[in-house]
Amino acid sequence: MYTADYFVKKLDMISHPEGGFYKESFVSSENISDRRLNVVIEESRKLWTSIYFLLRDGEVSNFHRLKSDEMWYYHSGSSLTIYMITPEGELITEELGLNIEKGEKPQILVPKDYIFGSAMNNEGYALVGCMVSPGFEFKDFELFERNYLLEIYPEYEQVIIKLTK
């Protein structure tokens, strides 16, 4: 039986600013510039990057936003709910996991410019993979504070309280 501590140790994971733990696993050997994309980036960027991401009991991925699309892949443990607020202000939820009959999906796309976070659906841990394209850079990572989001989206108070500090 695997545990959160097993994966944190064996995958050499470190704390992530949004919550949980991560470890960069793969990085594209190719670069791309914004001339070929529908996004503005400051300089050439890795075509894609990929990480392992893990949450333990009581941890969440706090609401944040990226300038790139992020594809989430289920690996092990609890399923996750990914909460996304579109640029138009609509709250969308998706279930990441393997119980297809209950609406879970093994892969979920979070489009660029969506505000998003996640939480486990059961006790234990959740191990997932996240691939970002164009490649992730912390300077494109925007972490949100509770009061700011509550002011803009008061109708989502419960979810915002759950996924912010």
Side-chain angles (χ1 to χ4, degrees):
M1 179 83 171
Y2 295 115
T3 65
D5 290 338
Y6 170 84
F7 287 115
V8 169
K9 182 179 178 183
K10 295 295 184 184
L11 296 175
D12 197 27
M13 300 176 93
I14 60 174
S15 292
H16 198 293
E18 77 191 50
F21 293 83
Y22 80 105
K23 173 67 175 178
E24 187 172 73
S25 52
F26 298 99
V27 176
S28 173
S29 62
E30 296 187 43
N31 286 355
I32 192 164
S33 72
D34 63 1
R35 289 187 312 243
R36 306 183 82 176
L37 300 170
N38 194 16
V39 65
V40 177
I41 54 178
E42 292 179 17
E43 68 275 334
S44 135
R45 203 51 75 80
K46 292 294 183 184
L47 184 58
W48 54 264
T49 56
S50 185
I51 64 168
Y52 294 114
F53 182 70
L54 182 135
L55 293 176
R56 301 178 300 189
D57 279 338
E59 295 175 332
V60 299
S61 165
N62 287 283
F63 271 130
H64 61 288
R65 178 169 47 201
L66 301 177
K67 291 183 180 180
S68 300
D69 290 344
E70 183 170 49
M71 181 65 77
W72 286 54
Y73 303 91
Y74 174 84
H75 290 313
S76 181
S78 173
S79 59
L80 290 176
T81 298
I82 301 175
Y83 301 86
M84 299 175 270
I85 301 174
T86 70
E88 296 77 31
E90 178 187 0
L91 178 66
I92 299 170
T93 60
E94 292 278 1
E95 305 299 321
L96 181 68
L98 297 179
N99 194 336
I100 309 301
E101 290 80 21
K102 288 192 174 181
E104 295 177 359
K105 301 173 185 173
Q107 299 178 7
I108 294 173
L109 175 67
V110 177
K112 68 180 180 178
D113 297 326
Y114 277 42
I115 296 170
F116 68 103
S118 66
M120 293 192 311
N121 295 327
N122 301 297
E123 293 181 356
Y125 70 91
L127 177 66
V128 302
C130 300
M131 188 182 87
V132 177
S133 179
F136 178 82
E137 296 269 345
F138 268 105
K139 62 185 167 189
D140 293 338
F141 173 83
E142 184 180 6
L143 190 60
F144 289 92
E145 293 185 11
R146 178 174 293 159
N147 289 338
Y148 174 80
L149 290 179
L150 285 173
E151 193 172 300
I152 298 171
Y153 307 110
E155 67 272 30
Y156 306 138
E157 179 179 8
Q158 287 183 330
V159 173
I160 290 170
I161 288 171
K162 181 178 185 171
L163 299 179
T164 57
K165 296 179 182 177

